[in-house]
Amino acid sequence: MHRRIIIGAMGAAAPALLGLRPAAAQPKNPAWPRALNMGTAAPGGTYALYGPAWGQLAQEATGVQISYRTTQGPNQNIILVQRKEVELGMVTMGVALQAWNGTGAWTQGNKFQDIRAIFPMYDTPFHGIALKSSGITGHAQLAGKNVGVGPRGGTPGTYYPLILNEIGATPSAIRYGSASDMAGQLQDRLLDAFAFASGVPVPAFSELEVQADVNFLDFTDAEIAKLTAKFPELAAGTLPMGTYRKQTRPLKIVGMYNFAIAHKSLPDDLVYEIAKSVLGQNARLKAAIAAGVDTVAENWTKNTFLPFHPGAARYLREVGQQVPDRLVAA
């Protein structure tokens, strides 16, 4: 319960940190919908905090009420946006690529091509955490262990089993659940390690390091070379010192970028205002969520395949970004 209270409080604080005024009673354009729903993710991950942070900016700018639906993460967000059960969502580009081509097992061969990119969010690094008492210091030691990987429909739930198998560290058991639940199971020693991917610092990891002595798990150079060759949607990177309080060295990671998405049917001028409200107010977003530091227009280049919504492309071009016509679709 204690963990959920902390995470919930952080989410509730986001509007206050943004210095938001009360939302307008009516959409600023009467042709726009009165309300939109956004797919986020389970508590303990960055989406649960980042979603309300940018959603409040968009709500303030448009007068459209935005509500939030807790989901399993990018996979489910894509399904829900495709079905118009929610109009807005957040995804990692690896999962989005599987969805667009219908190649991931979770897609069951279906192509999800009614989704459109709005703006770049931040990078998602894959890394892990274990109690120091376990003696686990790297991913190679997870062979034969009990490992939590977050929600089944999230990016780590999709990719981490593949990653661990590729580097020859197949766990004896993989468990799925919210990041906060995984952290609790690790503390209770029901898990040997918690391997995750989210914006950093991962809220659940930050909480764990306050409550226990921990080791952060990264990858060797050889593992990174193998993973980026197998999964070209992954890119090598480093988490610098200071990402976590108890971090003892820079962490070598692989990661993939996140983007906000919308259903293609949303009005162009509404999506334009949403993109402008977020990308044009980076200081306010950063005040609410640290991952917002990378939510800048120039990072649109992290997307090479998912069509931008015409409204989003209009804003990006207005601020000097050369988004090609091939990457825009109504």
Side-chain angles (χ1 to χ4, degrees):
M1 178 62 70
H2 179 60
R3 287 181 292 275
R4 291 182 177 84
I5 290 172
I6 291 176
I7 292 168
M10 291 172 68
L17 287 170
L18 287 165
L20 291 171
R21 300 183 296 273
Q26 297 287 339
K28 295 184 178 179
N29 182 333
W32 294 345
R34 294 177 60 89
L36 296 173
N37 295 305
M38 181 194 301
T40 59
T46 305
Y47 279 12
L49 305 179
Y50 186 99
W54 76 263
Q56 289 287 340
L57 288 173
Q59 179 173 300
E60 182 188 60
T62 64
V64 175
Q65 183 72 32
I66 298 178
S67 59
Y68 309 95
R69 176 167 172 175
T70 299
T71 71
Q72 292 188 25
N75 307 40
Q76 190 177 13
N77 289 342
I78 288 169
I79 293 170
L80 293 174
V81 172
Q82 177 76 21
R83 296 174 177 171
K84 294 184 70 174
E85 293 183 35
V86 302
E87 296 84 9
L88 303 170
M90 295 172 286
V91 303
T92 47
M93 298 311 282
V95 171
L97 182 62
Q98 292 181 356
W100 191 260
N101 294 326
T103 54
W106 63 275
T107 69
Q108 298 181 346
N110 297 307
K111 295 183 178 181
F112 297 82
Q113 298 190 347
D114 289 344
I115 61 174
R116 297 291 182 268
I118 312 176
F119 60 82
M121 292 167 43
Y122 54 84
D123 197 17
T124 289
F126 289 80
H127 57 308
I129 192 169
L131 297 179
K132 189 175 289 288
S133 59
S134 72
I136 298 172
T137 60
H139 284 86
Q141 293 170 274
L142 299 184
K145 303 294 186 180
N146 293 325
V147 180
V149 294
R152 187 181 296 272
T155 297
T158 300
Y159 273 87
Y160 243 123
L162 303 175
I163 285 172
L164 295 176
N165 181 68
E166 183 65 20
I167 64 174
T170 303
S172 60
I174 291 178
R175 295 182 182 174
Y176 301 92
S178 71
S180 56
D181 286 342
M182 298 286 96
Q185 290 187 41
L186 183 66
Q187 284 185 287
D188 294 338
R189 292 175 169 76
L190 299 175
L191 293 175
D192 297 301
F194 174 24
F196 201 52
S198 183
V200 293
V202 175
F205 283 17
S206 294
E207 187 180 348
L208 271 169
E209 70 171 343
V210 171
Q211 299 176 352
D213 290 327
V214 298
N215 291 329
F216 292 98
L217 316 182
D218 62 354
F219 297 93
T220 66
D221 290 338
E223 289 169 345
I224 289 173
K226 181 177 289 188
L227 291 172
T228 53
K230 176 69 174 181
F231 306 106
E233 61 268 38
L234 296 177
T238 302
L239 298 185
M241 289 294 295
T243 303
Y244 296 101
R245 292 172 57 186
K246 292 184 178 176
Q247 184 180 348
T248 60
R249 56 185 168 76
L251 302 176
K252 298 178 180 179
I253 55 88
V254 291
M256 62 177 63
Y257 229 77
N258 295 263
F259 270 72
I261 62 169
H263 191 272
K264 67 178 185 179
S265 64
L266 286 186
D268 290 3
D269 54 352
L270 173 58
V271 176
Y272 168 88
E273 293 296 341
I274 291 174
K276 181 179 180 180
S277 71
V278 179
L279 296 177
Q281 301 187 84
N282 185 254
R284 295 180 71 193
L285 184 64
K286 288 189 296 183
I289 181 79
V293 68
D294 292 322
T295 306
V296 292
E298 51 264 37
N299 280 336
W300 75 266
T301 57
K302 305 295 184 180
N303 171 24
T304 61
F305 70 91
L306 183 63
F308 281 94
H309 193 287
R314 174 188 160 201
Y315 176 77
L316 289 168
R317 288 166 171 169
E318 278 188 5
V319 295
Q321 304 306 311
Q322 304 299 313
V323 181
D325 289 343
R326 65 172 178 79
L327 209 57
V328 182

